[in-house]
Amino acid sequence: MDREVQVWREGRAGRIRLNRPKAFNALNLDMVKTIRAAVDEFGADPAVHVILVDTLERWFCSGGDVRMLHAGAVAGDASIAESFFGLEYAMNQAIADLRKPYVAIINGLCMGGGVGISVHGSHRIATENALLAMPETGIALFPDVGASYALPRMPGALGMYLGLTGARVTGADAVHTGFATHFVPSGQIAALSAAIVRDGVTAIAEYAAPLPPFTLAAERELIDRAFGQDSVNGIIATLEADGGSFAKAALAQLRQHSPSSVHWSFEIIRRGAARDLAGCLAAEYDLVCQIAMSAEFIEGVRALLVDKDKSPKWQPPRLEDVNPATIAALFAPRPR
């Protein structure tokens, strides 16, 4: 049971447990393959009534193994990104296609690829320790793993706000945004897991706690007004015109990230509102195969995760300087 992903049957449940603690459960290719195989196996097994995904540590999954992808990009090897993202996105779709309950218990950090193995399932349990985010614009990627489907379907413009700024939501706020479906105190998780194994998902209602108020409730009007604009420049102008503390903080977050990434992330999230999940994942794959080999991505990972100087040299350096034609070219039809 020392594998990076542990898989077993217990009672009515097929169990999947992430077990790569030294890497904060970041997904590598073998982990993606193992999760996909388990989803397929449990999905087809009539003795399995529910699939339960969890971890033992105070984190769920920090995302994909970005260092691996960075090394491939630096070496000029596009096959690493193509293979990893192709298999990861197919796994995301397989989770969404399940005809039986899929329960993810999020009791800690859940970012990027961690959202991909939770948000497409039928039941997502968040505790007060849950911390969820799509921080990809900080390393010049974009919210992927089907996030271009999930984010536009959040209330108002919350999804665009979370996708562009990489802002984190914690605890019950994950339910208010739509990242999660239920809020359960961490002290009840062991009992809840045992109940799910014994009784299936009907047990969740017994343990779900009432939701406290949404901590962003007072900011919703501004979020919807600003991040509901039809361009990144419109978002910037609205936030600058508001001038309040929340607007300034959101602007600071946007300006800290790759300007190009903010623009291409805006575009794929905007387009995702009119696509089904399969269409979103196909579009994400087309885009990520270009972005993951770009100098902007290499620089973002270098600055934040490799050298850790946190001083990326973005090109261009300002949101206002990004050429719309450059962004449009990324979304031009590509041969498959």
Side-chain angles (χ1 to χ4, degrees), residues 306-332:
V306 178
D307 297 340
K308 299 182 180 180
D309 58 30
K310 300 188 186 305
S311 298
K313 304 299 188 292
W314 302 126
Q315 295 297 327
R318 298 172 66 247
L319 288 163
E320 294 85 351
D321 296 336
V322 176
N323 187 343
T326 301
I327 302 303
L330 293 170
F331 293 89

Side-chain angles (χ1 to χ4, degrees), residues 227-274:
F227 289 86
Q229 296 290 318
D230 60 4
S231 68
V232 171
N233 290 338
I235 293 172
I236 296 168
T238 305
L239 292 173
E240 287 180 339
D242 179 273
S245 59
F246 183 84
K248 289 179 179 178
L251 268 173
Q253 287 174 304
L254 290 172
R255 294 196 182 281
Q256 181 181 359
H257 299 157
S258 159
S260 298
S261 179
V262 171
H263 279 266
W264 63 55
S265 296
F266 173 88
E267 187 62 21
I268 199 161
I269 294 169
R270 183 187 68 81
R271 293 179 180 223

Side-chain angles (χ1 to χ4, degrees), residues 102-126:
Y102 175 101
V103 181
I105 296 180
I106 305 166
N107 187 34
L109 182 71
C110 178
M111 295 184 176
V115 173
I117 59 173
S118 56
V119 76
H120 304 301
S122 59
H123 298 73
R124 290 97 65 190
I125 313 297

